[in-house]
Amino acid sequence: MEAEITYQLEVSDLFATHRYSYKTNKANNLTKLFAYTLFTITIIQTLMKIEEALWLEIVVGILTLGICIVGFNLFMYFVSLLFFRVNLPKDGTSGILCEHTIQITPTQLIERTSVNETRHRWISVKRLQELPNHLLIILNNNQAYTIPKKAFESTSNYQNFYEMARQFLQQVREAD
């Protein structure tokens, strides 16, 4: 029992993975939490120094906090996108933006490109993550295989592939 899918990985597919990674990365979330906390403390300290805090000043403080949170998130996301784009290989010889083949067997996940072949035992797979248009096979916080759902001939082919991968991963987890 095994399955295989071949697809062309495009920049838009990598951006989908990047968005997911940015949203779920614990380091990013801790940085945001620290920034929010620091900014909230600053606003509260400023408002407490005003002897007669009027409702308008409190509303302005809350609005300022909201604007800064949104601004900080946008700034961090676009900075991460800039670094992502700068580090993206420009040619097709890197093994990233090229044709990929993912083969799953009961014992391993095999990824092939024109540049290399990589084998992972299922125990090294952290999890499977379904996105609206992609399936991510996540190995760790820095590495995932992105499979566009449009690469499958039909929804049932995608579901069969996903279920098979999920079963292989579950069997390894239960055996461990």
Side-chain angles (χ1 to χ4, degrees):
M1 196 165 88
E2 58 184 60
E4 184 175 292
I5 183 71
T6 299
Y7 58 94
Q8 180 69 32
L9 192 66
E10 299 171 357
V11 174
S12 60
D13 300 322
L14 293 178
F15 278 130
T17 306
H18 175 74
R19 275 190 302 277
Y20 173 78
S21 175
Y22 181 79
K23 288 178 184 177
T24 60
N25 185 300
K26 290 180 182 174
N28 286 341
N29 292 336
L30 287 175
T31 302
K32 287 185 234 177
L33 180 63
F34 176 73
Y36 299 159
T37 304
L38 188 62
F39 189 77
T40 303
I41 290 170
T42 304
I43 291 292
I44 290 171
Q45 287 291 328
T46 303
L47 290 175
M48 288 179 71
K49 289 182 181 179
I50 300 172
E51 291 179 16
E52 295 179 23
L54 301 172
W55 67 271
L56 181 61
E57 292 168 336
I58 293 172
V59 169
V60 167
I62 292 171
L63 287 175
T64 303
L65 175 63
I67 290 168
C68 287
I69 288 172
V70 170
F72 180 76
N73 273 327
L74 287 173
F75 173 76
M76 291 301 290
Y77 181 69
F78 286 113
V79 165
S80 73
L81 273 180
L82 175 67
F83 282 113
F84 179 76
R85 188 173 282 286
V86 165
N87 292 316
L88 194 64
K90 305 296 184 252
D91 60 4
T93 61
S94 67
I96 297 175
L97 295 176
C98 63
E99 186 176 88
H100 291 253
T101 298
I102 300 285
Q103 179 183 5
I104 56 173
T105 72
T107 58
Q108 63 186 340
L109 164 75
I110 305 163
E111 185 250 357
R112 291 184 199 91
T113 67
S114 60
V115 177
N116 68 351
E117 179 177 304
T118 307
R119 295 172 180 266
H120 298 277
R121 291 184 10 200
W122 281 106
I123 195 71
S124 69
V125 175
K126 188 174 181 180
R127 72 179 179 278
L128 302 174
Q129 181 67 47
E130 286 189 282
L131 300 180
N133 298 313
H134 298 86
L135 170 63
L136 301 182
I137 301 175
I138 300 172
L139 301 175
N140 56 48
N141 289 339
N142 298 317
Q143 187 179 8
Y145 292 115
T146 304
I147 304 173
K149 289 182 180 178
K150 66 183 178 188
F152 293 90
E153 292 178 7
S154 67
T155 304
S156 64
N157 284 357
Y158 166 76
Q159 285 299 329
N160 291 338
F161 186 92
Y162 174 75
E163 281 304 314
M164 194 177 296
R166 192 185 64 71
Q167 287 175 1
F168 293 157
L169 186 57
Q170 186 176 359
Q171 287 170 358
V172 167
R173 296 284 192 280
E174 290 172 356
D176 195 27

